[in-house]
Amino acid sequence: MATTLPVKISFSLPDGWQAAPPDEVGAPGAAFVALHPLSIDEGFTANITISGRMRNDSATMWDIAGESVQRLAEAGTVEIVKKSEVGTPDIPGLTDSPGVVQNLRLSTTLRGEPLELLQSQVYLGMEDVKNPAKRAVVELVLTAKPTQLGDVIEDFQAFLRTVRPAEDTPA
């Protein structure tokens, strides 16, 4: 079942991307999924997913990114290609604290056939101003085959620049 984000955010999808129901496209843990239909390659469509959850522990963004690697390793082989800190200039409106971006190479299977995928994962935290021990963690992920990445990576970067906390509208 699709989830909801612990915080409200706003964003804009680049041209060529279409929202899709998470449950219908095999991403039940996601709050939002966007597909790039023009990139379909042997049955796989490049996609962006957004998910998030509340964290009440002392895990750093680096720890949380590492947890993702461990989860993905349960379904195949995972190689960390690059991992770095990302600050507010890259995603200016969402958080004042640094996040983590990691790029992964995944070897898994799709319908019984071997599949190599690349993921760019961005983890951002937003602390509760009333209780700093509580924070929301938002995960923004691009998944593509190596043959698709060149067609969609700039779109993902443009998408990231639009992510902001949602403005609460007065009642």
Side-chain angles (χ1 to χ4, degrees):
M1 177 199 290
T3 63
T4 58
L5 291 176
V7 293
K8 293 180 181 180
I9 62 171
S10 67
F11 55 87
S12 296
L13 288 175
D15 290 340
W17 290 84
Q18 299 174 350
D23 291 329
E24 291 179 22
V25 295
F32 179 83
V33 175
L35 302 176
H36 191 261
L38 297 176
S39 70
I40 295 175
D41 182 0
E42 296 180 14
F44 186 84
T45 306
N47 61 80
I48 294 172
T49 59
I50 303 174
S51 58
R53 62 180 186 239
M54 291 301 295
R55 295 290 296 239
N56 301 323
D57 59 14
S58 61
T60 66
M61 288 296 128
W62 291 88
D63 295 336
I64 294 167
E67 291 170 4
S68 174
V69 171
Q70 292 174 355
R71 278 192 315 274
L72 291 168
E74 293 173 9
T77 304
V78 179
E79 173 191 354
I80 299 172
V81 177
K82 181 181 177 185
K83 190 173 185 177
S84 58
E85 195 168 77
V86 60
T88 55
D90 296 318
I91 303 174
L94 190 57
T95 178
D96 291 329
S97 60
V100 169
V101 61
Q102 68 182 1
N103 296 321
L104 307 174
R105 179 179 310 278
L106 314 169
S107 296
T108 188
T109 59
L110 177 66
R111 295 179 210 86
E113 296 293 322
L115 178 65
E116 184 174 332
L117 296 172
L118 301 175
Q119 271 195 353
S120 183
Q121 303 177 332
V122 178
Y123 292 89
L124 303 170
M126 297 176 69
E127 289 183 356
D128 182 328
V129 293
K130 295 177 185 165
N131 182 358
K134 292 172 61 176
R135 66 194 157 133
V137 175
V138 176
E139 177 183 327
L140 310 158
V141 179
L142 169 68
T143 305
K145 291 177 72 172
T147 55
Q148 298 166 319
L149 190 63
D151 294 332
V152 296
I153 191 66
E154 288 182 14
D155 284 353
F156 184 60
Q157 293 165 344
F159 159 77
L160 290 173
R161 287 190 293 273
T162 70
V163 176
R164 301 276 188 278
E167 300 283 330
D168 285 335
T169 54

PDB file of all heavy atoms in Angstrom, residues 91-125:
ATOM      1  N   ILE A  91      19.715  21.735  -2.978  1.00  0.00           N
ATOM      2  CA  ILE A  91      18.275  21.613  -2.787  1.00  0.00           C
ATOM      3  C   ILE A  91      17.902  22.713  -1.805  1.00  0.00           C
ATOM      4  O   ILE A  91      17.766  22.486  -0.620  1.00  0.00           O
ATOM      5  CB  ILE A  91      17.911  20.216  -2.252  1.00  0.00           C
ATOM      6  CG1 ILE A  91      18.441  19.161  -3.208  1.00  0.00           C
ATOM      7  CG2 ILE A  91      16.404  20.088  -2.099  1.00  0.00           C
ATOM      8  CD1 ILE A  91      18.280  17.764  -2.737  1.00  0.00           C
ATOM      9  N   PRO A  92      17.779  23.933  -2.303  1.00  0.00           N
ATOM     10  CA  PRO A  92      17.751  25.093  -1.439  1.00  0.00           C
ATOM     11  C   PRO A  92      16.581  25.235  -0.480  1.00  0.00           C
ATOM     12  O   PRO A  92      16.735  25.756   0.578  1.00  0.00           O
ATOM     13  CB  PRO A  92      17.790  26.271  -2.406  1.00  0.00           C
ATOM     14  CG  PRO A  92      17.494  25.731  -3.730  1.00  0.00           C
ATOM     15  CD  PRO A  92      17.720  24.265  -3.702  1.00  0.00           C
ATOM     16  N   GLY A  93      15.407  24.811  -0.746  1.00  0.00           N
ATOM     17  CA  GLY A  93      14.315  25.151   0.140  1.00  0.00           C
ATOM     18  C   GLY A  93      13.923  24.113   1.154  1.00  0.00           C
ATOM     19  O   GLY A  93      13.073  24.360   1.978  1.00  0.00           O
ATOM     20  N   LEU A  94      14.506  22.926   1.117  1.00  0.00           N
ATOM     21  CA  LEU A  94      13.952  21.841   1.910  1.00  0.00           C
ATOM     22  C   LEU A  94      14.504  21.756   3.323  1.00  0.00           C
ATOM     23  O   LEU A  94      13.787  21.511   4.264  1.00  0.00           O
ATOM     24  CB  LEU A  94      14.163  20.506   1.182  1.00  0.00           C
ATOM     25  CG  LEU A  94      13.420  19.327   1.780  1.00  0.00           C
ATOM     26  CD1 LEU A  94      11.926  19.593   1.841  1.00  0.00           C
ATOM     27  CD2 LEU A  94      13.681  18.077   0.987  1.00  0.00           C
ATOM     28  N   THR A  95      15.785  21.925   3.503  1.00  0.00           N
ATOM     29  CA  THR A  95      16.369  21.671   4.807  1.00  0.00           C
ATOM     30  C   THR A  95      17.567  22.582   5.050  1.00  0.00           C
ATOM     31  O   THR A  95      18.229  22.982   4.112  1.00  0.00           O
ATOM     32  CB  THR A  95      16.791  20.189   4.926  1.00  0.00           C
ATOM     33  OG1 THR A  95      17.402  19.970   6.187  1.00  0.00           O
ATOM     34  CG2 THR A  95      17.739  19.776   3.832  1.00  0.00           C
ATOM     35  N   ASP A  96      17.820  22.868   6.303  1.00  0.00           N
ATOM     36  CA  ASP A  96      18.998  23.655   6.653  1.00  0.00           C
ATOM     37  C   ASP A  96      20.184  22.766   6.965  1.00  0.00           C
ATOM     38  O   ASP A  96      21.303  23.225   7.046  1.00  0.00           O
ATOM     39  CB  ASP A  96      18.712  24.550   7.860  1.00  0.00           C
ATOM     40  CG  ASP A  96      17.735  25.660   7.505  1.00  0.00           C
ATOM     41  OD1 ASP A  96      17.745  26.097   6.339  1.00  0.00           O
ATOM     42  OD2 ASP A  96      16.966  26.064   8.383  1.00  0.00           O
ATOM     43  N   SER A  97      19.942  21.468   7.209  1.00  0.00           N
ATOM     44  CA  SER A  97      21.031  20.565   7.535  1.00  0.00           C
ATOM     45  C   SER A  97      21.430  19.765   6.295  1.00  0.00           C
ATOM     46  O   SER A  97      20.619  19.539   5.410  1.00  0.00           O
ATOM     47  CB  SER A  97      20.619  19.618   8.663  1.00  0.00           C
ATOM     48  OG  SER A  97      19.504  18.856   8.265  1.00  0.00           O
ATOM     49  N   PRO A  98      22.694  19.344   6.226  1.00  0.00           N
ATOM     50  CA  PRO A  98      23.143  18.604   5.053  1.00  0.00           C
ATOM     51  C   PRO A  98      22.428  17.262   4.922  1.00  0.00           C
ATOM     52  O   PRO A  98      22.052  16.639   5.908  1.00  0.00           O
ATOM     53  CB  PRO A  98      24.639  18.387   5.310  1.00  0.00           C
ATOM     54  CG  PRO A  98      25.000  19.268   6.446  1.00  0.00           C
ATOM     55  CD  PRO A  98      23.747  19.563   7.196  1.00  0.00           C
ATOM     56  N   GLY A  99      22.273  16.845   3.704  1.00  0.00           N
ATOM     57  CA  GLY A  99      21.728  15.530   3.405  1.00  0.00           C
ATOM     58  C   GLY A  99      22.839  14.675   2.811  1.00  0.00           C
ATOM     59  O   GLY A  99      23.997  15.069   2.783  1.00  0.00           O
ATOM     60  N   VAL A 100      22.458  13.506   2.339  1.00  0.00           N
ATOM     61  CA  VAL A 100      23.418  12.591   1.737  1.00  0.00           C
ATOM     62  C   VAL A 100      22.891  12.180   0.379  1.00  0.00           C
ATOM     63  O   VAL A 100      21.696  11.917   0.220  1.00  0.00           O
ATOM     64  CB  VAL A 100      23.637  11.345   2.633  1.00  0.00           C
ATOM     65  CG1 VAL A 100      24.412  10.267   1.901  1.00  0.00           C
ATOM     66  CG2 VAL A 100      24.351  11.727   3.916  1.00  0.00           C
ATOM     67  N   VAL A 101      23.791  12.138  -0.593  1.00  0.00           N
ATOM     68  CA  VAL A 101      23.456  11.585  -1.900  1.00  0.00           C
ATOM     69  C   VAL A 101      24.382  10.396  -2.116  1.00  0.00           C
ATOM     70  O   VAL A 101      25.572  10.461  -1.798  1.00  0.00           O
ATOM     71  CB  VAL A 101      23.583  12.632  -3.032  1.00  0.00           C
ATOM     72  CG1 VAL A 101      24.989  13.162  -3.170  1.00  0.00           C
ATOM     73  CG2 VAL A 101      23.115  12.055  -4.349  1.00  0.00           C
ATOM     74  N   GLN A 102      23.808   9.297  -2.590  1.00  0.00           N
ATOM     75  CA  GLN A 102      24.643   8.159  -2.937  1.00  0.00           C
ATOM     76  C   GLN A 102      24.182   7.597  -4.271  1.00  0.00           C
ATOM     77  O   GLN A 102      22.991   7.574  -4.567  1.00  0.00           O
ATOM     78  CB  GLN A 102      24.670   7.096  -1.843  1.00  0.00           C
ATOM     79  CG  GLN A 102      23.403   6.343  -1.593  1.00  0.00           C
ATOM     80  CD  GLN A 102      23.551   5.354  -0.436  1.00  0.00           C
ATOM     81  OE1 GLN A 102      24.596   5.229   0.198  1.00  0.00           O
ATOM     82  NE2 GLN A 102      22.490   4.638  -0.157  1.00  0.00           N
ATOM     83  N   ASN A 103      25.165   7.197  -5.061  1.00  0.00           N
ATOM     84  CA  ASN A 103      24.899   6.583  -6.355  1.00  0.00           C
ATOM     85  C   ASN A 103      25.270   5.115  -6.248  1.00  0.00           C
ATOM     86  O   ASN A 103      26.372   4.780  -5.786  1.00  0.00           O
ATOM     87  CB  ASN A 103      25.705   7.275  -7.453  1.00  0.00           C
ATOM     88  CG  ASN A 103      25.285   8.716  -7.616  1.00  0.00           C
ATOM     89  OD1 ASN A 103      24.108   9.049  -7.533  1.00  0.00           O
ATOM     90  ND2 ASN A 103      26.241   9.594  -7.829  1.00  0.00           N
ATOM     91  N   LEU A 104      24.350   4.263  -6.674  1.00  0.00           N
ATOM     92  CA  LEU A 104      24.518   2.820  -6.534  1.00  0.00           C
ATOM     93  C   LEU A 104      24.398   2.120  -7.868  1.00  0.00           C
ATOM     94  O   LEU A 104      23.672   2.564  -8.758  1.00  0.00           O
ATOM     95  CB  LEU A 104      23.443   2.249  -5.596  1.00  0.00           C
ATOM     96  CG  LEU A 104      23.285   2.896  -4.222  1.00  0.00           C
ATOM     97  CD1 LEU A 104      22.090   2.296  -3.501  1.00  0.00           C
ATOM     98  CD2 LEU A 104      24.549   2.738  -3.405  1.00  0.00           C
ATOM     99  N   ARG A 105      25.072   0.974  -7.976  1.00  0.00           N
ATOM    100  CA  ARG A 105      24.906   0.042  -9.092  1.00  0.00           C
ATOM    101  C   ARG A 105      24.304  -1.223  -8.494  1.00  0.00           C
ATOM    102  O   ARG A 105      24.835  -1.777  -7.546  1.00  0.00           O
ATOM    103  CB  ARG A 105      26.254  -0.267  -9.747  1.00  0.00           C
ATOM    104  CG  ARG A 105      26.164  -1.247 -10.908  1.00  0.00           C
ATOM    105  CD  ARG A 105      27.538  -1.494 -11.530  1.00  0.00           C
ATOM    106  NE  ARG A 105      28.252  -0.268 -11.854  1.00  0.00           N
ATOM    107  CZ  ARG A 105      28.069   0.460 -12.961  1.00  0.00           C
ATOM    108  NH1 ARG A 105      27.191   0.083 -13.863  1.00  0.00           N
ATOM    109  NH2 ARG A 105      28.761   1.558 -13.165  1.00  0.00           N
ATOM    110  N   LEU A 106      23.163  -1.630  -9.042  1.00  0.00           N
ATOM    111  CA  LEU A 106      22.441  -2.789  -8.521  1.00  0.00           C
ATOM    112  C   LEU A 106      22.413  -3.889  -9.571  1.00  0.00           C
ATOM    113  O   LEU A 106      22.125  -3.631 -10.742  1.00  0.00           O
ATOM    114  CB  LEU A 106      20.995  -2.419  -8.187  1.00  0.00           C
ATOM    115  CG  LEU A 106      20.760  -1.128  -7.400  1.00  0.00           C
ATOM    116  CD1 LEU A 106      19.283  -0.788  -7.390  1.00  0.00           C
ATOM    117  CD2 LEU A 106      21.271  -1.292  -6.003  1.00  0.00           C
ATOM    118  N   SER A 107      22.669  -5.108  -9.147  1.00  0.00           N
ATOM    119  CA  SER A 107      22.504  -6.275 -10.015  1.00  0.00           C
ATOM    120  C   SER A 107      21.414  -7.117  -9.392  1.00  0.00           C
ATOM    121  O   SER A 107      21.547  -7.594  -8.261  1.00  0.00           O
ATOM    122  CB  SER A 107      23.805  -7.074 -10.104  1.00  0.00           C
ATOM    123  OG  SER A 107      24.815  -6.295 -10.705  1.00  0.00           O
ATOM    124  N   THR A 108      20.315  -7.293 -10.111  1.00  0.00           N
ATOM    125  CA  THR A 108      19.151  -8.005  -9.594  1.00  0.00           C
ATOM    126  C   THR A 108      18.501  -8.772 -10.739  1.00  0.00           C
ATOM    127  O   THR A 108      19.132  -8.997 -11.775  1.00  0.00           O
ATOM    128  CB  THR A 108      18.181  -7.017  -8.898  1.00  0.00           C
ATOM    129  OG1 THR A 108      17.158  -7.739  -8.247  1.00  0.00           O
ATOM    130  CG2 THR A 108      17.616  -5.999  -9.862  1.00  0.00           C
ATOM    131  N   THR A 109      17.260  -9.160 -10.569  1.00  0.00           N
ATOM    132  CA  THR A 109      16.525  -9.828 -11.643  1.00  0.00           C
ATOM    133  C   THR A 109      15.160  -9.177 -11.800  1.00  0.00           C
ATOM    134  O   THR A 109      14.600  -8.630 -10.854  1.00  0.00           O
ATOM    135  CB  THR A 109      16.326 -11.330 -11.363  1.00  0.00           C
ATOM    136  OG1 THR A 109      15.624 -11.490 -10.139  1.00  0.00           O
ATOM    137  CG2 THR A 109      17.659 -12.068 -11.293  1.00  0.00           C
ATOM    138  N   LEU A 110      14.638  -9.228 -13.022  1.00  0.00           N
ATOM    139  CA  LEU A 110      13.293  -8.757 -13.331  1.00  0.00           C
ATOM    140  C   LEU A 110      12.644  -9.834 -14.187  1.00  0.00           C
ATOM    141  O   LEU A 110      13.172 -10.177 -15.245  1.00  0.00           O
ATOM    142  CB  LEU A 110      13.339  -7.418 -14.082  1.00  0.00           C
ATOM    143  CG  LEU A 110      11.999  -6.842 -14.524  1.00  0.00           C
ATOM    144  CD1 LEU A 110      11.153  -6.459 -13.311  1.00  0.00           C
ATOM    145  CD2 LEU A 110      12.209  -5.622 -15.411  1.00  0.00           C
ATOM    146  N   ARG A 111      11.547 -10.384 -13.688  1.00  0.00           N
ATOM    147  CA  ARG A 111      10.867 -11.493 -14.361  1.00  0.00           C
ATOM    148  C   ARG A 111      11.828 -12.635 -14.665  1.00  0.00           C
ATOM    149  O   ARG A 111      11.809 -13.221 -15.734  1.00  0.00           O
ATOM    150  CB  ARG A 111      10.171 -11.010 -15.628  1.00  0.00           C
ATOM    151  CG  ARG A 111       9.036 -10.025 -15.361  1.00  0.00           C
ATOM    152  CD  ARG A 111       8.405  -9.565 -16.689  1.00  0.00           C
ATOM    153  NE  ARG A 111       7.877  -8.226 -16.599  1.00  0.00           N
ATOM    154  CZ  ARG A 111       8.571  -7.093 -16.799  1.00  0.00           C
ATOM    155  NH1 ARG A 111       9.833  -7.130 -17.113  1.00  0.00           N
ATOM    156  NH2 ARG A 111       7.983  -5.926 -16.704  1.00  0.00           N
ATOM    157  N   GLY A 112      12.725 -12.921 -13.721  1.00  0.00           N
ATOM    158  CA  GLY A 112      13.658 -14.022 -13.860  1.00  0.00           C
ATOM    159  C   GLY A 112      14.892 -13.731 -14.705  1.00  0.00           C
ATOM    160  O   GLY A 112      15.771 -14.581 -14.830  1.00  0.00           O
ATOM    161  N   GLU A 113      14.980 -12.553 -15.285  1.00  0.00           N
ATOM    162  CA  GLU A 113      16.120 -12.186 -16.127  1.00  0.00           C
ATOM    163  C   GLU A 113      17.053 -11.253 -15.360  1.00  0.00           C
ATOM    164  O   GLU A 113      16.599 -10.397 -14.608  1.00  0.00           O
ATOM    165  CB  GLU A 113      15.635 -11.471 -17.398  1.00  0.00           C
ATOM    166  CG  GLU A 113      14.782 -12.333 -18.304  1.00  0.00           C
ATOM    167  CD  GLU A 113      15.565 -13.479 -18.921  1.00  0.00           C
ATOM    168  OE1 GLU A 113      16.749 -13.285 -19.274  1.00  0.00           O
ATOM    169  OE2 GLU A 113      14.997 -14.588 -19.018  1.00  0.00           O
ATOM    170  N   PRO A 114      18.378 -11.384 -15.559  1.00  0.00           N
ATOM    171  CA  PRO A 114      19.311 -10.472 -14.888  1.00  0.00           C
ATOM    172  C   PRO A 114      19.070  -9.023 -15.332  1.00  0.00           C
ATOM    173  O   PRO A 114      18.728  -8.765 -16.476  1.00  0.00           O
ATOM    174  CB  PRO A 114      20.703 -10.949 -15.334  1.00  0.00           C
ATOM    175  CG  PRO A 114      20.489 -11.962 -16.392  1.00  0.00           C
ATOM    176  CD  PRO A 114      19.043 -12.332 -16.434  1.00  0.00           C
ATOM    177  N   LEU A 115      19.232  -8.118 -14.382  1.00  0.00           N
ATOM    178  CA  LEU A 115      18.981  -6.703 -14.641  1.00  0.00           C
ATOM    179  C   LEU A 115      19.995  -5.868 -13.877  1.00  0.00           C
ATOM    180  O   LEU A 115      20.181  -6.056 -12.674  1.00  0.00           O
ATOM    181  CB  LEU A 115      17.561  -6.331 -14.192  1.00  0.00           C
ATOM    182  CG  LEU A 115      17.131  -4.875 -14.331  1.00  0.00           C
ATOM    183  CD1 LEU A 115      17.082  -4.471 -15.806  1.00  0.00           C
ATOM    184  CD2 LEU A 115      15.775  -4.660 -13.675  1.00  0.00           C
ATOM    185  N   GLU A 116      20.658  -4.951 -14.583  1.00  0.00           N
ATOM    186  CA  GLU A 116      21.563  -4.011 -13.932  1.00  0.00           C
ATOM    187  C   GLU A 116      20.889  -2.645 -13.911  1.00  0.00           C
ATOM    188  O   GLU A 116      20.378  -2.177 -14.927  1.00  0.00           O
ATOM    189  CB  GLU A 116      22.890  -3.920 -14.681  1.00  0.00           C
ATOM    190  CG  GLU A 116      23.882  -3.032 -13.964  1.00  0.00           C
ATOM    191  CD  GLU A 116      25.257  -3.039 -14.609  1.00  0.00           C
ATOM    192  OE1 GLU A 116      25.635  -4.044 -15.234  1.00  0.00           O
ATOM    193  OE2 GLU A 116      25.941  -2.013 -14.487  1.00  0.00           O
ATOM    194  N   LEU A 117      20.855  -2.044 -12.727  1.00  0.00           N
ATOM    195  CA  LEU A 117      20.232  -0.737 -12.550  1.00  0.00           C
ATOM    196  C   LEU A 117      21.203   0.211 -11.872  1.00  0.00           C
ATOM    197  O   LEU A 117      22.102  -0.214 -11.133  1.00  0.00           O
ATOM    198  CB  LEU A 117      18.976  -0.855 -11.679  1.00  0.00           C
ATOM    199  CG  LEU A 117      17.827  -1.671 -12.235  1.00  0.00           C
ATOM    200  CD1 LEU A 117      16.744  -1.848 -11.169  1.00  0.00           C
ATOM    201  CD2 LEU A 117      17.252  -1.006 -13.474  1.00  0.00           C
ATOM    202  N   LEU A 118      20.989   1.489 -12.099  1.00  0.00           N
ATOM    203  CA  LEU A 118      21.719   2.537 -11.392  1.00  0.00           C
ATOM    204  C   LEU A 118      20.704   3.336 -10.589  1.00  0.00           C
ATOM    205  O   LEU A 118      19.597   3.586 -11.065  1.00  0.00           O
ATOM    206  CB  LEU A 118      22.450   3.440 -12.381  1.00  0.00           C
ATOM    207  CG  LEU A 118      23.454   2.739 -13.286  1.00  0.00           C
ATOM    208  CD1 LEU A 118      24.013   3.715 -14.311  1.00  0.00           C
ATOM    209  CD2 LEU A 118      24.573   2.118 -12.473  1.00  0.00           C
ATOM    210  N   GLN A 119      21.083   3.702  -9.379  1.00  0.00           N
ATOM    211  CA  GLN A 119      20.208   4.533  -8.554  1.00  0.00           C
ATOM    212  C   GLN A 119      20.981   5.731  -8.054  1.00  0.00           C
ATOM    213  O   GLN A 119      22.136   5.613  -7.652  1.00  0.00           O
ATOM    214  CB  GLN A 119      19.684   3.764  -7.327  1.00  0.00           C
ATOM    215  CG  GLN A 119      18.429   3.035  -7.551  1.00  0.00           C
ATOM    216  CD  GLN A 119      17.755   2.595  -6.245  1.00  0.00           C
ATOM    217  OE1 GLN A 119      18.295   2.729  -5.148  1.00  0.00           O
ATOM    218  NE2 GLN A 119      16.567   2.044  -6.382  1.00  0.00           N
ATOM    219  N   SER A 120      20.315   6.871  -8.058  1.00  0.00           N
ATOM    220  CA  SER A 120      20.814   8.060  -7.388  1.00  0.00           C
ATOM    221  C   SER A 120      19.827   8.328  -6.265  1.00  0.00           C
ATOM    222  O   SER A 120      18.646   8.572  -6.513  1.00  0.00           O
ATOM    223  CB  SER A 120      20.884   9.241  -8.356  1.00  0.00           C
ATOM    224  OG  SER A 120      21.424  10.360  -7.695  1.00  0.00           O
ATOM    225  N   GLN A 121      20.299   8.229  -5.028  1.00  0.00           N
ATOM    226  CA  GLN A 121      19.448   8.392  -3.852  1.00  0.00           C
ATOM    227  C   GLN A 121      19.848   9.658  -3.109  1.00  0.00           C
ATOM    228  O   GLN A 121      21.024   9.889  -2.866  1.00  0.00           O
ATOM    229  CB  GLN A 121      19.607   7.206  -2.893  1.00  0.00           C
ATOM    230  CG  GLN A 121      19.318   5.863  -3.497  1.00  0.00           C
ATOM    231  CD  GLN A 121      19.580   4.740  -2.500  1.00  0.00           C
ATOM    232  OE1 GLN A 121      20.403   4.855  -1.600  1.00  0.00           O
ATOM    233  NE2 GLN A 121      18.870   3.642  -2.677  1.00  0.00           N
ATOM    234  N   VAL A 122      18.848  10.440  -2.742  1.00  0.00           N
ATOM    235  CA  VAL A 122      19.088  11.653  -1.966  1.00  0.00           C
ATOM    236  C   VAL A 122      18.283  11.544  -0.673  1.00  0.00           C
ATOM    237  O   VAL A 122      17.074  11.292  -0.717  1.00  0.00           O
ATOM    238  CB  VAL A 122      18.671  12.921  -2.747  1.00  0.00           C
ATOM    239  CG1 VAL A 122      18.873  14.172  -1.899  1.00  0.00           C
ATOM    240  CG2 VAL A 122      19.448  13.015  -4.054  1.00  0.00           C
ATOM    241  N   TYR A 123      18.952  11.708   0.455  1.00  0.00           N
ATOM    242  CA  TYR A 123      18.312  11.644   1.773  1.00  0.00           C
ATOM    243  C   TYR A 123      18.392  13.006   2.433  1.00  0.00           C
ATOM    244  O   TYR A 123      19.482  13.574   2.561  1.00  0.00           O
ATOM    245  CB  TYR A 123      19.018  10.611   2.672  1.00  0.00           C
ATOM    246  CG  TYR A 123      18.820   9.215   2.180  1.00  0.00           C
ATOM    247  CD1 TYR A 123      19.689   8.650   1.265  1.00  0.00           C
ATOM    248  CD2 TYR A 123      17.723   8.476   2.592  1.00  0.00           C
ATOM    249  CE1 TYR A 123      19.489   7.379   0.786  1.00  0.00           C
ATOM    250  CE2 TYR A 123      17.508   7.200   2.114  1.00  0.00           C
ATOM    251  CZ  TYR A 123      18.396   6.656   1.211  1.00  0.00           C
ATOM    252  OH  TYR A 123      18.184   5.397   0.724  1.00  0.00           O
ATOM    253  N   LEU A 124      17.236  13.518   2.830  1.00  0.00           N
ATOM    254  CA  LEU A 124      17.166  14.826   3.472  1.00  0.00           C
ATOM    255  C   LEU A 124      16.410  14.701   4.781  1.00  0.00           C
ATOM    256  O   LEU A 124      15.388  14.005   4.860  1.00  0.00           O
ATOM    257  CB  LEU A 124      16.444  15.819   2.562  1.00  0.00           C
ATOM    258  CG  LEU A 124      17.067  16.001   1.181  1.00  0.00           C
ATOM    259  CD1 LEU A 124      16.144  16.803   0.287  1.00  0.00           C
ATOM    260  CD2 LEU A 124      18.424  16.672   1.301  1.00  0.00           C
ATOM    261  N   GLY A 125      16.882  15.401   5.790  1.00  0.00           N
ATOM    262  CA  GLY A 125      16.219  15.381   7.089  1.00  0.00           C
ATOM    263  C   GLY A 125      15.652  16.738   7.439  1.00  0.00           C
ATOM    264  O   GLY A 125      16.233  17.771   7.095  1.00  0.00           O
TER     265      GLY A 125
END
